[in-house]
Amino acid sequence: ITSKRSEVSELDDEFKKIGSIHLDACEKFLTDIKSGWELFNSDPDVKKCLCAASKAMNQQRGAYNSPLREVVEDKTSELGYSVPARQPRSQDQESWRPFQIAFILASLKKIIDVDSRDSLNCGVDVIWMPTGGGKTEAYLGLAAFTILWTRQNNQKQLASNALQKSSMKVLMRYTYRLLTVQQVARAASMICALELIRDSDPDYFGTNDVLIGAWLGSAVTPNSRKTAKNQLKNLINDRRDTSRFLLKKCPWCGCEIGKRIGKQILGYKEAQTSSKETRVLAYCPDPTCNFHLRTVQRAKATFEVGLPVLEIDEDIYAKPPDFLIATVDKIARLAWNPESHRLFGLKNGMRVSGSPELFIQDELHLISGPLGSIDGVFEIALEELCKQDGGRSPVYVASTATTKNYEDQIRKLYNREGRLIPPPGLSIDDSFFSKRDFSSTPKTYVAVCATGSYSGLDIQNSVLASLSYQAAVLGPTRLDYNTDPWWTNVVFFSSRRSLGLLISLMDTSFHKRISRLRALSGRRSGRVTPTKDSADRYASELKELTATSSEDVNEVFDSLERVLPDKRTVDICFATSMVEVGLDVSRLGLMTVIGQPKSSSQYIQASGRVGRSSGSPGLVVSVLKPTNPRDLSHYEGFRFWHDRLYASVESASVTPFTTRALERSLPSFMAILLRARTPSVKVKDALPAWNEVSQIIFNRLGQDQVSKSNVSLVLDELLRLATAPAASQYVWDSYVGEGSGLMFSAENAVPVDRQGTPMWFVLNSMRSVDPDSMLQFTLSSSQGNGAANPPDADENGLADEGEAF
């Protein structure tokens, strides 16, 4: 900082002010780091918890990277199966990256000094580092410290029975289920390490297990104990079941989970809970693992325990985990299920345990546009649930891939100031915590915009065939080079329509094109085995990662980890926006982007899925259509645009207090907070708290009279509906009480018998905010059955300019 101060005076006048602002931010960050270091040295509890958290993160790295150990059936074994021996882990101590430990030290005071958070005007720390820079480890390290610190602090307050109950300490949210599933596995390894640390010192860290919960939609995990038990029975009986359990391997030792051996599904079983009910329990099948199935006795009750992972909603509500990972969409369920308020320490309108201490929002840049506008009102409700009845506001941490307009985005979402971590210096090449490495192999971007074919699909198919062929013939012979980084081609589409069109064409001509390339070059491209050298490569291992794919996300993710010469190594993985922030496989080095994505940030995020390690230099091939004006414009400025790639990122737009956004989000906001104040299922019993709850959102708006007017307009209509004579005996939700429900799913069409009756349209998701309309198009009689096929459409489903559709 001192050396950079002298450089500010040498800058042009227009840059001196911003240079000084950047260095002032560096000084403030340094002050916070010193404050954390002083706490570490002066407070023995801080030192013990931070050292234990560091130890847990060191063990997490080894556990998460444990290779999958596939279970095999063994009738000679008492268990009926055998597990390969565990490979010894390295005993070397891993190290923190400088910005990671600096961030944790700078955050200690906010976590520890809970009574002065508001007076300290705690903002939101936004972590920004390039892809692979270690953002996840930074906030996981802070989460580990928060869990251990809160637990030891609770142990000191044994006189308060409420504090001894299970409570959520950390809430982490993601936008896409693929990223959420992956991060559950990564964080579960850390939780396993923390549980072993707690178990070794229960007098200090408490007797309750350290737990992690996955609060996800029903497409990923079963949301009720009944559903989970039925699903387990179906899997045992080998019945077809579209739903799956979350874990595919033990997060601590890598032993395979979920395989069917005889009449059991390894890693899952129906077990007794302490409340005399049964639930589906996850455990490690390896008897040598610390988290193999075992029986314990607590509070004069005997029951079975296994892995510290909860993935069923009822289990999560019954025993709130220390660390909860959720999708943003799942937060909408707070309005429908008051049991979920237990996650925030509330039950029947009263506080029964501590409130969450830390909120982590990963991939902040995705909380923008319509999603961000809906989420902005939900954030007010979440903070109020934390503060209700003697609770306190949490500490907020976010991470992002882009930083344009992040201050305004933070202000709109959380009503706080945002701070970039680590703060920038004067040059992008050196911020002290990160330096540009000019010696490393860069990622290469290539554009293909061919005019030699009428059909854009033909060009796309040709490019995929050529890349598949060339990856197999690298080097003088096919055994001279490591072709694995480019063997799997991740093909990214901006729309599912363009994906479907290309897949259909590949089925008929893809392999013919590879055969033609062999005929022209004389080079064989098939797989090489000790006994066989195939002539042509057949792309038989095809996977799909889309929101509508029937394939299990976990299984696809595991398959992408397979490397050559495994014959199951994926050849092509077709993907849409689901993988923008969810795919972290270090071996991947090849991506084909079909059509220019709709935004620069989407393009940066998607292409960032490949070339994530020095052993797999990234190659990104963009296939563009010359008949699409947007694609052609991108192609003409391809080199210049990539030289300034991050400068073209669009600003995040969040407008939560427009009338249209409030009409969608305010019914959920009011339902969440009104139901959190009374255990009654009747609407009229919660209405006395109407003014109190309404004032919460007005307080957030301050002097913004336009937004206040919009809120008043929507609230007045909601109150009119709730107090209408026809609604006098309404319950909140017709599924939990007799009579009609005031709340109605916003994405469903209103049935005939409810039309014209009072109702609130409450969200089940932050994405599906309107009911679908079914449309059917038919050909006119003049066209008959001989109508011509429509011409090629671009990624937005639009016909090429000048063509009849």
Side-chain angles (χ1 to χ4, degrees), residues 674 683-688 690-691 715-730 732 742 758-760:
L674 288 173
V683 176
K684 64 179 182 180
D685 293 338
L687 291 181
W690 182 273
N691 290 335
L715 284 179
D716 289 345
E717 176 62 14
L718 293 178
L719 182 60
R720 184 189 70 80
L721 293 170
T723 57
S728 60
Q729 297 301 316
Y730 273 16
W732 283 105
L742 179 66
M759 65 178 66
W760 287 5

Side-chain angles (χ1 to χ4, degrees), residues 38 62 69 83 124 164 202-203 262 271 279 296 309 339 449 474 537 572 585 601 640 648 652 670 733 737 764:
E38 291 172 1
R69 296 183 296 138
V83 184
V124 179
Q164 295 311 302
D203 292 336
R279 69 179 183 95
V296 299
V309 180
E339 291 183 8
C449 188
L474 289 173
R537 176 181 179 183
I572 298 177
V585 181
S601 59
F640 172 77
S648 62
M670 297 302 292
D733 182 1
N764 268 305

Side-chain angles (χ1 to χ4, degrees), residues 202-243:
D203 292 336
Y204 189 79
F205 292 118
T207 56
N208 290 332
D209 297 344
V210 180
L211 298 171
I212 183 172
W215 200 34
L216 312 175
S218 57
V220 183
T221 60
N223 287 170
S224 70
R225 288 174 175 173
K226 181 179 179 180
T227 301
K229 287 183 281 190
N230 289 337
Q231 176 180 311
L232 182 62
K233 291 176 182 177
N234 289 340
L235 293 173
I236 291 174
N237 296 324
D238 202 22
R239 296 173 184 166
R240 189 171 184 84
D241 196 314
T242 57
S243 55

